[in-house]
């Protein structure tokens, strides 16, 4: 009997041990577009077994009892993956890999620009547009400035026919009203509004977020028309190494290099290098001036993320840019720099930037963000010298707290700007020394996001800044969001105030060209604006697996004290003054996205706007502002893996700056369109070849865009005692040399070919 009991107990123990031993595991890697995906949830449905992927995209689920399960892979902004699998004695340990696909139009992307904290795009009460690296790869360009040409309501505006500098317009408002951020830091401003938008390595850009309308409540001065926030990749999400090189048949060569490496055990670094070179003078329009500015530019970017206890954030980054660019008469060389024999515009730019974020080790969510940059410019516009130094330091402490239905963000900000140049802007009338501008701008802000009901949110915000030159400025805002339970219908209503303290010489290239004399009419006061907009988002899913997304916005902005350059009162001058009246920007913008299961995707956008200026009872259209803008992108992948991308834009007529009543150049630009096509082929997981044609229609402005290009120093122009041009037989139209009559690039059709290489 005892023997039987012993055998029974032994068998029971053996069976228990066997049952206990019947466990397996699942290991794998996660990636998207060739990059490892960190912080992705991986789990077995209706069980406690799961894991979160690490910075290399690796996950591991251990001690799984034998059986059948449904594995689920999920992350905000990406398509959910579900897969049935079985753990058994035959397959106890599974090794899997998944490629996550970004959701159509990134409807659930994480965004930070609207509220200074990470939220789902669908949950944000502030409408934020998100554009991924994939969007920009459909039309590769050497700079973020050019990449924005296919974003609805955004237009890269060239300001000079000779040196090809420019700025970014949002809903018809000029570049100084657009704030450009890198990782949320106000890096690109002042002098770099004109010269700092190039040289950001595109291989390091994760996404670009765009907010249209005033954002001064969170970002202060300059965020009047809107903001562009360039989000760089986290080192953990970047490939180990990447190279992207392309060239055009004009002779342009652009190279992007990315490299990820470890700094010890607790720091990971991402290095990016961009080099752009163009040294091939071309004059297709026959005006003896270069159609495209020659450039030699290098940019070095490095970002370091530190691993800290409890996943607290600490990141610091830096960038250095050096650029040598010139445009002018075809026979110009460096020996002519600053002389009066051959006209050329030569700009040497040296710029450094550093920025980062540090989360304090406290129970409260406290973040300190900081940035500093220096910009040194040495330039000649013909024989007019312009040298300038600008240094900006910025610090911001933010506190985020959720109390019941209230999600509160508060902050204290300080910004210091030093600016010195050789223009009247910094002359000292009493001494021979300059009087550099030193501006202190401390401020505080608070916003409260209130969850009224599960589908209703109200955002209230207020900011107070004290400008050391102009005193205190208050900027409030209010935002309301409603969404249907399934989030297929979203309504947002916004109202807010913006302001801008202008520095003409750091923002307006026309003031530096030397072709006109700059004059100030009184002391310039800060500009203010009030904006309202209504945004509606609608998503459709049809029975044949077709997706349609509609995003429509109506906007209205009213300006007071606006500073506008007056080109028309005196053709020899640019007169700056505060507007004695008002300026209005209003319009409607619609974006439409469609996608089919067969791989066809169509994105289109249309903006119709009316930007006017009223002074002395007379209302006129703003110069260099289109009334209609359209953009589109069509993408399709064939069965052999070849992808075709067809992108383009369309612009309505703009009012152009003429030199007087006798100027015979058209007063308006024509309707025009820039269209591009590209083919891309992948070879394995590392290689990608792409090429195509830019500016398919070969559109360029009229050949007479530059007035009197044959007399750039106005030697044969006769001036009266009042400074006005006197028409003569040699100059019957009474014109002077003027390169500011520009609305599009003189660069025509061109082919391009590129190669990408990526190592995970």
């Amino acid at each position: 009997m005892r023997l039987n009991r012993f055998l029974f107990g032994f068998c029971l123990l053996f069976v228990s041990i066997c049952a206990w031993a019947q466990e397996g595991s699942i290991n794998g890697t996660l990636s998207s577009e060739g990059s490892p995906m960190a912080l992705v949830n991986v789990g077995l449905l209706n069980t406690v077994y799961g894991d979160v992927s690490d910075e290399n995209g690796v996950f591991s689920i251990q001690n799984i009892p034998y059986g059948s399960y449904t594995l689920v892979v999920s992350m905000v902004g990406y398509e959910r993956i579900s897969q049935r699998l079985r753990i058994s004695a035959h397959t106890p340990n599974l090794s899997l890999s998944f490629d996550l696909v970004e959701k159509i139009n990134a409807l659930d992307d994480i965004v930070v620009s609207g509220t200074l904290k990470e939220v789902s795009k669908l949950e944000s009460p502030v409408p934020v547009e998100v554009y991924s690296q994939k969007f920009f790869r459909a039309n590769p360009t050497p700079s973020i400035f050019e990449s924005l040409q296919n974003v609805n309501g955004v237009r890269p505006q060239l300001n000079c026919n000779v040196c090809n500098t420019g700025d970014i317009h949002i809903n018809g408002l000029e570049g100084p009203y657009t704030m450009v951020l890198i990782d949320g830091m106000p890096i690109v401003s002042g002098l770099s509004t004109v010269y700092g938008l190039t040289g950001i390595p595109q291989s390091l850009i994760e996404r670009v977020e765009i907010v249209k309308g005033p954002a001064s409540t969170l970002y202060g001065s300059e965020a009047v028309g809107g903001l562009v926030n360039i989000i760089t990749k986290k080192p953990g999400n970047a490939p180990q190494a990447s190279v992207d090189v392309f060239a055009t048949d004009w002779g342009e060569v652009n190279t992007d290099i990315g490299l990820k490496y470890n700094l010890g055990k607790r720091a990971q670094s991402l290095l990016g290098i961009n080099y752009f070179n163009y040294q091939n003078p071309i004059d297709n329009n026959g005006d003896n001036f270069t159609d495209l500015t020659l450039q030699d530019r290098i940019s070095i970017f490095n970002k370091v993320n530190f691993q800290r206890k409890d996943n607290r954030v600490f990141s610091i980054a830096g960038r250095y840019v050096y650029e040598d660019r010139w445009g002018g008469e075809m026979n110009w060389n460096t020996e002519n720099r600053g002389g009066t024999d051959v006209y050329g515009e030569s700009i040497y730019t040296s710029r450094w930037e550093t920025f980062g974020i540090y989360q304090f080790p406290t129970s409260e969510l406290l973040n300190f963000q900081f940035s500093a940059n220096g910009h040194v410019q040495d330039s000649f516009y013909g024989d007019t010298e312009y040298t300038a130094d600008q240094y900006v330091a910025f610090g911001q402490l933010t506190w985020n707290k959720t109390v019941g239905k209230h999600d509160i963000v508060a902050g204290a900000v300080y910004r210091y700007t030093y600016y010195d140049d050789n223009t009247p802007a910094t002359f000292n009338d009493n001494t021979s020394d300059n009087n550099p501008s030193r501006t202190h701008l401390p401020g505080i802000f608070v916003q409260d996001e209130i969850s009224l009901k599960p589908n209703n949110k109200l955002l209230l915000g207020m900011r107070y800044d004290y400008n050391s030159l102009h005193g205190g400025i208050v900027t409030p805002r209010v935002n309301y969001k409603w969404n249907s339970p399934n989030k297929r219908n979203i309504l947002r209503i916004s109202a807010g105030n913006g302001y801008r303290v202008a520095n003409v010489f750091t923002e307006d290239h026309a003031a530096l060209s030397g072709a006109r004399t700059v004059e100030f009419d009184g002391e310039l006061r800060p500009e203010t604006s009030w904006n309202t907009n209504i945004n509606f988002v609608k998503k459709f899913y049809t029975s044949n697996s077709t997706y349609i997304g509609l995003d429509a916005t109506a906007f209205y902005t009213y300006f007071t004290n606006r500073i506008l350059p007056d080109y028309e009162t005196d053709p020899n001058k640019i007169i700056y003054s505060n507007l004695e009246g008002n300026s209005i920007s209003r319009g409607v913008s619609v974006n439409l996205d469609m996608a089919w299961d067969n791989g066809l995707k169509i994105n289109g956008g249309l903006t119709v706007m009316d930007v006017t200026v009223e002074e002395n009872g007379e209302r006129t259209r703003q110069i260099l502002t289109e009334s209609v803008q359209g953009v589109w992108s069509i993408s399709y992948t064939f069965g052999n893996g070849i992808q075709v991308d067809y992108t383009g834009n369309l612009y309505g007529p703009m009012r152009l700056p003429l030199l007087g009543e006798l100027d015979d150049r058209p007063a308006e630009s024509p309707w025009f369109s820039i269209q591009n096509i590209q083919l891309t082929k992948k070879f394995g997981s590392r290689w990608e070849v792409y090429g195509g044609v830019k500016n398919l229609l070969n559109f360029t402005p009229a050949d007479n865009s530059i007035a009197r290009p044959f007399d750039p120093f106005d030697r044969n122009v006769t001036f009266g005692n009042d400074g006005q041009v006197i028409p003569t037989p040699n100059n019957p139209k009474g014109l002077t040399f003027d390169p500011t009559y520009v609305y599009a690039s003189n660069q025509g059709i061109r082919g391009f070919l590129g190669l990408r290489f990526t190592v995970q």
Side-chain angles (χ1 to χ4, degrees):
M1 180 65 69
R2 289 181 179 178
L3 179 61
N4 292 337
R5 289 180 179 177
F6 174 80
L7 292 175
F8 176 79
F10 178 81
C11 292
L12 182 63
L13 177 63
F14 179 80
V15 171
S16 300
I17 292 174
C18 292
W20 176 80
Q22 290 178 343
E23 295 178 342
S25 65
I26 303 175
N27 300 282
T29 58
L30 303 172
S31 62
S32 180
E33 294 290 318
S35 299
M37 294 295 294
L39 304 178
V40 180
N41 295 308
V42 184
L44 300 180
L45 193 63
N46 299 323
T47 75
V48 296
Y49 299 97
D51 193 19
V52 177
S53 62
D54 64 16
E55 61 190 14
N56 297 313
V58 176
F59 69 90
S60 178
I61 306 175
Q62 302 293 326
N63 303 324
I64 307 171
Y66 287 177
S68 298
Y69 301 93
T70 298
L71 181 72
V72 176
V73 180
S74 64
M75 185 178 185
V76 173
Y78 292 84
E79 299 289 351
R80 179 186 174 101
I81 298 175
S82 296
Q83 179 173 316
R84 292 287 297 173
L85 49 82
R86 181 173 178 79
I87 306 293
S88 66
H90 297 290
T91 55
N93 301 304
L94 300 180
S95 180
L96 307 172
S97 63
F98 297 97
D99 186 52
L100 278 72
V101 178
E102 196 173 16
K103 285 190 176 181
I104 298 170
N105 198 31
L107 283 171
D108 289 332
D109 267 347
I110 296 296
V111 296
V112 297
S113 300
T115 58
L116 278 184
K117 57 188 178 65
E118 290 192 346
V119 296
S120 164
K121 180 183 174 183
L122 290 176
E123 295 297 331
S124 173
V126 179
V128 181
E129 296 182 12
V130 182
Y131 297 91
S132 66
Q133 189 181 62
K134 183 188 298 184
F135 174 86
F136 296 115
R137 281 188 173 182
N139 180 32
T141 64
S143 74
I144 191 66
F145 173 78
E146 297 172 67
S147 295
L148 295 174
Q149 63 184 277
N150 288 324
V151 175
N152 189 24
V154 178
R155 182 168 68 87
Q157 164 66 35
L158 289 178
N159 295 325
C160 176
N161 264 309
V162 180
C163 68
N164 292 160
T165 55
D167 51 34
I168 297 173
H169 291 203
I170 294 181
N171 286 344
L173 299 179
E174 293 96 330
Y177 299 95
T178 300
M179 174 171 276
V180 181
L181 311 168
I182 300 179
D183 286 343
M185 291 290 95
I187 294 295
V188 183
S189 61
L191 275 173
S192 60
T193 300
V194 178
Y195 297 102
L197 292 173
T198 55
I200 301 174
Q202 299 230 39
S203 61
L204 303 186
I205 296 177
E206 180 77 26
R207 66 186 187 275
V208 174
E209 299 180 4
I210 296 177
V211 177
K212 299 174 182 177
S216 293
T217 303
L218 289 183
Y219 297 98
S221 178
E222 299 172 33
V224 179
L227 64 90
V228 178
N229 192 2
I230 301 166
I231 308 295
T232 60
K233 291 182 178 179
K234 296 178 181 179
N237 293 338
Q240 196 68 39
S242 64
V243 178
D244 189 344
V245 182
F246 76 87
T248 72
D249 59 12
W250 273 51
E252 303 162 280
V253 178
N254 185 76
T255 303
D256 267 332
I257 299 174
L259 178 65
K260 180 174 68 175
Y261 59 96
N262 292 325
L263 292 173
K265 296 182 178 180
R266 296 193 173 184
Q268 203 167 38
S269 183
L270 182 60
L271 174 68
I273 300 174
N274 171 259
Y275 180 66
F276 177 74
N277 185 274
Y278 171 66
Q279 302 294 323
N280 182 32
I282 293 176
D283 177 26
N284 287 335
N285 62 8
D287 61 4
N288 195 39
F289 273 74
T290 52
D291 290 344
L292 182 66
T293 304
L294 281 71
Q295 300 175 55
D296 189 12
R297 179 181 68 245
I298 186 167
S299 173
I300 302 174
F301 177 94
N302 199 68
K303 183 176 184 178
V304 181
N305 279 9
F306 296 90
Q307 295 180 2
R308 299 176 61 209
K309 185 178 179 181
D310 298 326
N311 291 322
R312 290 190 176 96
V313 177
F314 181 28
S315 174
I316 188 168
R319 182 172 75 118
Y320 176 76
V321 183
Y322 179 79
E323 182 182 70
D324 174 4
R325 71 161 60 199
W326 75 267
E329 294 186 272
M330 292 291 288
N331 57 333
W332 187 92
N333 58 57
T334 54
E335 297 177 356
N336 303 119
R337 192 173 193 263
T340 58
D341 295 329
V342 182
Y343 187 90
E345 297 188 0
S346 171
I347 301 99
Y348 301 151
T349 300
S350 180
R351 178 175 177 81
W352 60 266
E353 305 162 350
T354 183
F355 53 94
I357 181 172
Y358 177 81
Q359 182 181 346
F360 286 93
T362 61
S363 57
E364 299 291 332
L365 183 53
L366 289 171
N367 288 326
F368 179 68
Q369 294 174 283
F370 55 90
S371 70
N373 62 77
H375 188 112
V376 177
Q377 187 169 319
D378 174 10
S379 52
F380 277 93
Y381 301 86
D383 59 347
T384 300
E385 183 181 13
Y386 175 71
T387 57
D389 299 325
Q390 177 180 276
Y391 301 96
V392 180
F394 176 86
Q396 175 173 276
L397 179 66
T398 60
W399 170 70
N400 186 200
K401 181 77 170 181
T402 301
V403 182
K405 296 182 178 181
H406 299 264
D407 190 350
I408 302 170
V409 176
V413 186
Y414 175 75
R415 184 172 177 179
Y416 171 77
T417 303
Y418 171 93
Y419 174 74
D420 190 19
D421 66 15
N422 65 329
T423 74
T426 57
F427 280 172
N428 191 330
D429 296 332
N430 300 321
T431 68
S432 59
D433 297 329
N434 261 17
N435 183 25
S437 170
R438 295 178 174 88
T439 306
H440 301 270
L441 189 62
I444 55 175
F445 66 87
V446 62
Q447 73 173 19
D448 185 6
E449 184 176 316
I450 308 168
S451 297
L452 302 175
K453 293 181 179 180
N455 301 329
N456 292 265
K457 286 186 177 182
L458 178 66
L459 179 69
L460 303 175
M462 180 73 72
R463 182 186 183 105
Y464 174 80
D465 288 310
Y466 184 84
N467 186 284
S468 58
L469 300 179
H470 300 281
I473 302 172
V474 178
T475 49
R477 78 166 174 179
V478 58
N479 299 78
Y480 170 78
K481 182 184 81 74
W482 168 89
N483 60 264
S484 60
N486 60 7
K487 296 184 180 180
R488 293 190 180 184
N489 300 279
I490 300 175
L491 175 68
R492 297 181 176 98
I493 302 175
S494 306
N497 175 242
Y499 80 95
R500 184 175 77 95
V501 177
N503 188 331
V504 169
F505 284 91
T506 66
E507 298 167 349
D508 192 344
H509 168 269
L512 310 175
S513 66
R516 299 188 186 214
T517 302
V518 176
E519 183 177 292
F520 296 94
D521 185 4
E523 184 178 352
L524 301 182
R525 303 183 302 276
E527 302 174 86
T528 59
S529 70
W530 287 95
N531 169 272
T532 61
N533 66 66
I534 300 175
N535 171 254
F536 180 69
V537 177
K538 175 71 175 178
K539 297 182 292 181
F540 303 90
Y541 296 90
T542 66
S543 57
N544 60 350
S545 299
T546 300
Y547 165 81
I548 301 175
L550 176 69
D551 189 330
T553 301
F555 58 89
Y556 181 93
T557 305
Y558 181 91
F559 285 89
T560 57
N561 285 343
R562 191 171 183 191
I563 301 170
L564 289 174
D566 180 359
Y567 294 89
E568 298 171 311
T569 299
D570 188 332
N572 301 309
K573 297 179 179 179
I574 306 174
I575 303 173
Y576 292 91
S577 64
N578 285 109
L579 182 66
E580 297 297 332
N582 61 74
S583 176
I584 295 175
S585 170
R586 55 191 171 187
V588 177
S589 177
V590 179
N591 290 308
L592 184 66
D593 299 329
M594 295 180 288
W596 291 263
D597 278 349
N598 62 6
L600 176 64
K601 296 182 180 180
I602 300 177
N603 303 319
L606 179 68
T607 298
V608 179
M609 56 190 164
D610 179 28
V611 184
T612 58
V613 177
E614 182 176 341
E615 192 167 25
N616 299 324
E618 182 180 353
R619 183 167 293 278
T620 58
R621 284 175 55 205
Q622 180 177 287
I623 288 178
L624 293 173
T625 302
E626 69 279 13
S627 57
V628 178
Q629 178 195 6
V631 297
W632 65 85
S633 175
I634 302 174
S635 174
Y636 183 75
T637 302
F638 294 92
N640 56 7
I642 295 178
Q643 179 176 317
V644 59
D645 292 288
Y646 171 50
T647 60
N649 51 49
L650 174 69
Y651 296 109
M654 310 175 202
R655 195 164 71 90
L656 302 175
L658 299 178
L659 291 177
E661 295 181 356
L662 298 178
D663 193 335
D664 59 353
R665 294 177 296 179
E668 285 191 341
S669 64
W671 286 83
F672 70 95
S673 176
I674 306 297
Q675 302 178 22
N676 321 283
I677 193 166
Q678 174 184 254
L679 297 177
T680 304
K681 172 66 176 178
K682 289 185 178 181
F683 296 91
S685 60
R686 294 188 173 185
W687 295 92
E688 188 172 292
V689 177
Y690 60 94
V693 179
K694 292 181 179 290
N695 198 355
L696 279 166
L697 303 182
N698 196 28
F699 174 81
T700 55
D703 295 346
N704 63 346
S705 293
I706 299 179
R708 292 181 63 81
F710 51 86
D711 186 18
F713 295 101
D714 291 336
R715 292 191 177 95
N716 297 315
V717 177
T718 302
F719 297 92
N721 294 330
D722 58 357
Q724 300 296 308
V725 179
I726 299 175
T728 64
N730 291 329
N731 186 17
K733 304 298 181 182
L735 305 180
T736 58
F737 172 72
D738 182 28
T740 61
Y741 179 96
V742 57
Y743 56 90
S745 172
N746 287 313
Q747 191 177 23
I749 189 171
R750 58 206 182 276
F752 67 96
L753 183 64
L755 177 69
R756 296 188 184 103
F757 175 72
T758 305
V759 178
Q760 299 302 326

